[in-house]
């Protein structure tokens, strides 16, 4: 899979510190794990993205350098949430990047590589999300007619030119077929407050959010979207926000069966307590897994896998 031979004993998942995990089955029985892997997650100079490889989802080799920014690259901080898809004979990474100078808002870029493990290089000309809005957590969705979409979050942040919203937005924008640019205007899919289980993010007395985040007061936020279609044809979105018991993941269903919805939120979160930013891994061996990080407390984040069944209009945990 393009990675160097293992030099040290394989790691177990609970030994890998990572946020926003994403697992790609790049070949039958061959898996690559990506995620937010910088030691300094919230600010400071960014290193890039690392990845790990496995044959059994239990023992992992790595880390291997999947992406390192080229010299004079525009982004230098907050490298978050890489997702990788095999398309058109190549591998494409959708990732959130920012600049410490704040000369442009945080956005989702597209990187490309010839091997699943990289090295990934810039593919889009900067972010494909709106230039005036801070955006994050891009995921790819391909319609039945082959139209390629980026689904992303516009959280509870803002800039001087584009004030933030205290009610986070889940949005989508069409992409060119080559994934290099957005096409047309973004579409609002739903807001955080549309979910009965979502709650404002209220920090403990005296606590402050990371300085690099220009958050609205007591925001409701959307992040970590991931779309999947059930065997019955229902289009589902797994996404995260703050719930009654902390960071949580919920499910929305497209009543119209397409990306533009309308989206109906399930009443209760799928995962209610201190874990989120998930995706569903459907393996060639027939087992499906919910992949997410938990707890949500830096620096204690670890990758979690739990078996699920995608059935009808929901994703169900198998405990």
């Amino acid at each position: 899979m393009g990675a160097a031979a293992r030099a040290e004993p394989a790691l177990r998942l609970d030994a890998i510190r990572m946020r926003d995990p994403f697992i790609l089955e790049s070949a039958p029985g061959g898996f690559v794990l990506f995620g937010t892997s910088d030691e300094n997650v919230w600010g400071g100079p960014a290193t890039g993205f690392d990845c790990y490889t496995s044959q059994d989802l239990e023992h992992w080799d790595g880390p291997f350098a999947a992406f390192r920014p080229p010299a004079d690259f525009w982004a230098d901080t907050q490298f978050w949430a890489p997702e990788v898809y095999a398309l058109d004979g190549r591998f494409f990474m959708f990732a959130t990047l920012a600049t410490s100078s704040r000369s442009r808002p945080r956005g989702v870029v597209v990187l490309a590589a010839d091997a699943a493990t990289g090295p990934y290089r810039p593919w889009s000309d900067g972010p494909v999300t709106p230039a005036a809005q801070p955006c994050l957590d891009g995921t790819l969705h391909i319609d039945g007619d082959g139209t390629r979409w980026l689904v992303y979050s516009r959280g509870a942040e803002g800039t001087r030119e584009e004030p933030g919203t205290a009610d986070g937005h889940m949005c989508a924008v069409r992409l060119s077929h080559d994934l290099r640019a957005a096409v047309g205007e973004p579409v609002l899919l739903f807001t955080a407050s549309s979910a009965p289980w979502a709650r404002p993010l209220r920090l403990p007395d005296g606590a402050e959010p990371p300085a690099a985040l220009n958050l609205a007061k007591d925001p409701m936020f959307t992040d970590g979207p991931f779309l999947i279609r059930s065997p019955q044809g229902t289009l589902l979105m797994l996404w995260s926000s703050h719930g009654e018991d902390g960071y949580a993941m919920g499910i929305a269903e497209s009543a119209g069966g397409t990306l533009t919805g309308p989206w109906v939120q399930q009443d209760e979160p799928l995962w209610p307590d201190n874990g989120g930013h998930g995706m569903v891994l459907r393996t060639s061996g027939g087992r499906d897994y919910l992949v997410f990080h938990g707890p949500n407390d830096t620096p204690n984040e670890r990758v979690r896998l739990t078996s699920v069944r995608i059935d009808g209009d929901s994703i169900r945990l198998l405990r």
Side-chain angles (χ1 to χ4, degrees), residues 223-276:
D223 74 14
F226 181 83
L227 290 97
I228 190 166
R229 198 172 289 277
S230 76
Q232 293 78 17
T234 304
L235 184 61
L236 303 171
M237 186 190 300
L238 178 69
W239 66 285
S240 299
S241 188
H242 194 76
E244 197 68 45
D245 298 308
Y247 199 39
M249 287 179 288
I251 300 170
E253 174 189 346
S254 172
T258 66
L259 180 62
T260 53
W263 288 90
V264 179
Q265 305 291 336
Q266 295 191 0
D267 289 339
E268 300 295 331
L270 173 67
W271 190 273
D273 183 16
N274 206 17

Side-chain angles (χ1 to χ4, degrees), residues 30-303:
F31 304 95
V32 187
L33 167 67
F34 303 89
T36 301
S37 52
D38 275 347
E39 181 176 350
N40 192 344
V41 172
W42 302 111
T47 300
F49 295 117
D50 290 338
C51 66
Y52 297 79
T53 61
S54 176
Q55 301 297 315
D56 60 9
L57 294 174
E58 295 182 9
H59 305 91
W60 294 86
D61 298 330
F64 307 111
F67 170 67
R68 295 294 184 265
D72 299 323
F73 191 56
W74 69 271
D76 61 358
T77 191
Q78 296 177 2
F79 284 20
W80 295 344
E83 297 193 2
V84 172
Y85 298 86
L87 287 170
D88 307 330
R90 302 194 75 194
F91 296 89
F92 294 91
M93 176 184 286
F94 296 79
T96 303
L97 308 179
T99 172
S100 56
S101 69
R102 300 191 183 184
S103 57
R104 65 171 85 179
R106 180 188 304 110
V108 178
V109 303
V110 185
L111 312 170
D114 293 324
T117 53
Y120 287 85
R121 295 183 173 88
W123 182 255
S124 62
D125 183 14
V128 294
T129 44
Q133 299 174 354
C135 303
L136 69 160
D137 295 353
T139 192
L140 178 68
H141 174 71
I142 302 178
D143 269 349
D145 64 1
T147 301
R148 299 175 176 189
W149 292 84
L150 181 76
V151 180
Y152 65 94
S153 169
R154 185 187 171 201
E157 295 182 78
T159 65
R160 284 176 296 181
E161 296 78 15
E162 186 79 14
T165 171
D167 193 359
H169 293 175
M170 192 67 75
C171 302
V173 66
R174 283 201 311 128
L175 297 175
S176 59
H177 193 77
D178 63 6
L179 305 177
R180 287 187 182 270
V183 178
E185 295 299 315
V187 178
L188 174 63
L189 303 182
F190 59 81
T191 62
S193 62
S194 66
W197 56 269
R199 301 288 183 272
L201 172 62
R202 293 194 172 97
L203 299 173
D205 290 344
E208 294 290 337
L213 302 182
N214 183 25
L215 291 178
K217 180 176 173 55
D218 296 337
M220 299 184 74
F221 66 89
T222 57
D223 74 14
F226 181 83
L227 290 97
I228 190 166
R229 198 172 289 277
S230 76
Q232 293 78 17
T234 304
L235 184 61
L236 303 171
M237 186 190 300
L238 178 69
W239 66 285
S240 299
S241 188
H242 194 76
E244 197 68 45
D245 298 308
Y247 199 39
M249 287 179 288
I251 300 170
E253 174 189 346
S254 172
T258 66
L259 180 62
T260 53
W263 288 90
V264 179
Q265 305 291 336
Q266 295 191 0
D267 289 339
E268 300 295 331
L270 173 67
W271 190 273
D273 183 16
N274 206 17
H277 199 117
M279 56 89 65
V280 175
L281 171 65
R282 311 202 75 175
T283 70
S284 59
R287 295 192 66 180
D288 300 330
Y289 297 91
L290 178 65
V291 184
F292 63 103
H293 76 253
N296 193 44
D297 313 309
T298 301
N300 301 314
E301 308 95 325
R302 296 295 183 271
V303 184

